[in-house]
Amino acid sequence: MAIATKTSASGQTAPGSDPAAPQQRGSYWITTFGCQMNKADSERMAGILEAMGYAPGLDEHTADLVLYNTCTIRDNAEQKVYSYLGRQAQRKRTNPHLTLVVAGCVAQQEGEALLRRVPELDLVMGPQHANRLDTLLSQVESGQQVVATGEHHILEDITTARRDSAVCAWVNVIYGCNERCTYCVVPSVRGVEQSRRPEAIRLEMEGLAERGYREVTLLGQNIDAYGRDLPGITPEGRRQHTLTDLLRFVHDVRGLERIRFATSHPRYFTDRLIDTCADLEKVCEHFHIPFQSGDNDVLRAMARGYTVERYRRILDRIRERMPDAAISADVIVGFPGETDAQYRHTLDLVEAVGFDAVNTAAYSPRPNTPAADWPDQLSEAVKVERLQELNALVETQAKQRSARYAGRCEEILVEGSNPRDPGQMMGRTRTNRLTFFPSSRPDGSVIAPGDLVSVRIDQVRAFSLSGAVL
């Protein structure tokens, strides 16, 4: 990444700046909607923009380039994007030099239709084109209005991401998804699975460790599918490249203290993976495994490819090998045709498992998905009522799970200051519980981001902890 230079009000390079740096193009602002994959894409695009000579802006209302990295997994997220775009389009009518970009899943889904709806846009680009942002912007600078949503092979990352954290980093290991869940738009907007080579992943992780990063989260839309598009069979007759093999391959990267991965799919979550996670010291005891419904008939309609019984066996195996492991999940209520009895099966599963956290959502019909056209759609009132009841149960469960931390000493990786209290630092347990604690040790020494500290937990809440540094 090029060294960021000072920018004057006109956007030109200020006196005394690095002559080797690229010509300043002004300021940029990125707003990210959606999942961890989108956040990782935004960091890479920010790195590209800074290498081109853009500097981080103060806010989206004054930046010279505004980029919305969008999510289409839920209708409300999509509508929020259009609300933001409306304000920027109005701004561009009085400031034609503003560059307006829509990236991500809404861009891929809508394509040229976005230009008809918001003609002020300069660039519409799908998630497969994130690494090409500089090339696409050069076309914009030549006076073109660009739409990049075609199928594209994702090349290895050759730019340095502008990371939001100096301690924890995302590392993409597989792009796209080959599943065909009947409610999900992801395969149509993120394309087919494309796994990165393990050597390239390790090289990126080594570079992060050299820059002081202590934790890496390996990312994939369906990370358990990692490697099935890569060639190679072992002498035992199994695939040579799996998530299990990747974890073993990168585990000894010097300087890294913790490794996480997300998001998993119960169809591919194996005992071999569980045993590997239990055996490898750096792999954290936190697993995010969506179940989506607690009813087998609904799961079949969703085309999820597993049963509730299969899902329960996975969690039982995890807790057998790692009794203190944290389990989080995703769930949808109000799927087309879901009866009250089927919904109650979901509540039963949540109550029986005791999740540490659950991302809940009411079903939202998405374009180009089979379930969106089914006749047995549920009313919004029913979906909202079920979601509220589920959320109350999830919070109760989370409080019960948090109670086990009371009085314990937990190893916390310090991520930074508490934005609400400058006298506190915050970080996470290995099980991913957010934890707050004083910014100095009992001897008066200052705690810094990246430190590993031992904290005695004095207060427990549903989704966070507080304590004293030992």
Side-chain angles (χ1 to χ4, degrees):
M1 186 191 301
I3 299 172
T5 56
K6 297 178 181 178
T7 306
S8 66
S10 64
Q12 301 299 313
T13 304
S17 59
D18 182 0
Q23 179 184 357
Q24 278 292 337
R25 284 175 162 87
S27 60
Y28 74 90
W29 183 268
I30 298 177
T31 298
T32 306
F33 303 86
C35 66
Q36 295 168 324
M37 296 290 289
N38 266 19
K39 293 175 184 176
D41 288 346
S42 290
E43 290 184 346
R44 287 187 292 136
M45 290 190 287
I48 292 172
L49 290 173
E50 294 193 8
M52 292 178 67
Y54 285 93
L58 297 177
D59 58 61
E60 63 183 306
H61 305 296
T62 57
D64 302 295
L65 182 149
V66 175
L67 187 155
Y68 294 120
N69 192 11
T70 59
C71 172
T72 186
I73 200 78
R74 304 272 178 260
D75 182 65
N76 57 353
E78 187 175 331
Q79 295 310 313
K80 188 180 293 186
V81 171
Y82 287 118
S83 173
Y84 281 50
L85 276 175
R87 294 194 291 269
Q88 290 297 333
Q90 187 174 9
R91 182 180 160 219
K92 183 156 185 173
R93 293 180 199 121
T94 59
N95 177 16
H97 299 294
L98 168 65
T99 301
L100 195 51
V101 180
V102 174
C105 296
V106 171
Q108 182 69 33
Q109 174 183 286
E110 299 299 319
E112 291 187 6
L114 257 176
L115 294 185
R116 293 192 290 272
R117 185 165 178 173
V118 188
E120 292 82 4
L121 282 170
D122 297 290
L123 171 59
V124 175
M125 53 179 283
Q128 295 182 52
H129 297 265
N131 286 356
R132 301 180 59 229
L133 179 59
D134 50 353
T135 302
L136 298 173
L137 282 176
S138 68
Q139 297 177 35
V140 171
E141 289 172 356
S142 70
Q144 300 179 51
Q145 195 176 34
V146 181
V147 176
T149 55
E151 221 22 69
H152 181 69
H153 178 70
I154 300 173
L155 301 174
E156 282 295 343
D157 297 347
I158 55 174
T159 56
T160 301
R162 183 186 186 275
R163 309 279 179 177
D164 288 337
S165 168
V167 178
C168 307
W170 316 108
V171 172
N172 292 98
V173 303
I174 179 172
Y175 300 96
C177 181
N178 288 1
E179 300 302 303
R180 285 294 180 265
C181 302
T182 56
Y183 57 85
C184 186
V185 72
V186 166
S188 65
V189 295
R190 283 199 169 265
V192 298
E193 292 167 359
Q194 298 182 48
S195 299
R196 296 177 63 195
R197 298 290 306 182
E199 297 80 9
I201 296 167
R202 182 182 172 103
L203 188 64
E204 182 177 354
M205 292 174 68
E206 289 173 341
L208 289 166
E210 289 171 2
R211 291 162 54 199
Y213 284 86
R214 309 297 299 277
E215 177 180 297
V216 160
T217 300
L218 307 178
L219 285 183
Q221 213 74 48
N222 175 12
I223 197 165
D224 304 281
Y226 172 78
R228 65 181 177 184
D229 58 319
L230 297 177
I233 300 294
T234 68
E236 297 78 23
R238 65 171 179 82
R239 284 191 292 118
Q240 186 174 3
H241 300 293
T242 67
L243 177 60
T244 300
D245 298 311
L246 179 64
L247 289 172
R248 291 193 178 278
F249 182 66
V250 302
H251 183 261
D252 64 348
V253 170
R254 189 171 300 174
L256 290 180
E257 296 289 342
R258 294 179 175 183
I259 298 173
R260 304 182 189 274
F261 60 89
T263 296
S264 293
H265 194 302
R267 183 187 292 189
Y268 308 104
F269 208 98
T270 65
D271 285 353
R272 181 170 175 261
L273 174 60
I274 294 170
D275 291 339
T276 296
C277 293
D279 293 341
L280 296 179
E281 183 182 356
K282 293 182 182 179
V283 177
C284 291
E285 300 82 8
H286 171 234
F287 301 91
H288 185 75
I289 314 175
F291 65 91
Q292 305 301 8
S293 173
D295 183 85
N296 285 336
D297 289 336
V298 175
L299 288 174
R300 193 175 302 112
M302 289 177 167
R304 289 291 287 170
Y306 56 86
T307 63
V308 172
E309 292 73 23
R310 158 73 176 151
Y311 186 82
R312 290 292 304 272
R313 284 196 297 270
I314 292 170
L315 303 196
D316 289 344
R317 177 65 174 169
I318 289 173
R319 286 174 171 166
E320 176 188 330
R321 290 301 317 271
M322 294 163 278
D324 196 46
I327 310 289
S328 59
D330 299 339
V331 61
I332 297 169
V333 297
F335 188 74
E338 180 188 65
T339 66
D340 185 69
Q342 290 171 331
Y343 160 67
R344 295 288 157 192
H345 291 159
T346 292
L347 294 180
D348 292 342
L349 178 62
V350 171
E351 193 159 16
V353 168
F355 290 97
D356 291 77
V358 181
N359 299 325
T360 63
Y363 170 74
S364 177
R366 307 312 300 132
N368 306 314
T369 59
D373 297 324
W374 292 352
D376 48 357
Q377 305 288 326
L378 275 62
S379 70
E380 290 302 313
V382 169
K383 290 191 281 189
V384 168
E385 182 181 357
R386 291 180 181 179
L387 185 61
Q388 289 175 341
E389 184 180 13
L390 176 62
N391 284 340
L393 176 59
V394 166
E395 184 168 359
T396 299
Q397 292 275 321
K399 287 179 181 177
Q400 292 173 359
R401 290 291 289 166
S402 276
R404 74 189 195 274
Y405 294 104
R408 280 176 25 177
C409 295
E410 290 290 320
E411 178 194 81
I412 309 298
L413 176 60
V414 183
E415 296 180 19
S417 299
N418 179 357
R420 296 183 178 180
D421 184 350
Q424 284 188 332
M425 303 295 280
M426 64 181 187
R428 294 181 186 272
T429 66
R430 288 177 59 93
T431 52
N432 207 41
R433 265 294 190 268
L434 185 63
T435 306
F436 300 97
F437 45 91
S439 57
S440 59
R441 297 178 178 83
D443 63 5
S445 60
V446 175
I447 297 171
D451 288 348
L452 282 168
V453 297
S454 182
V455 175
R456 185 188 66 244
I457 305 303
D458 300 327
Q459 298 179 44
V460 297
R461 293 171 291 275
F463 303 108
S464 67
L465 311 169
S466 296
V469 179
L470 300 180

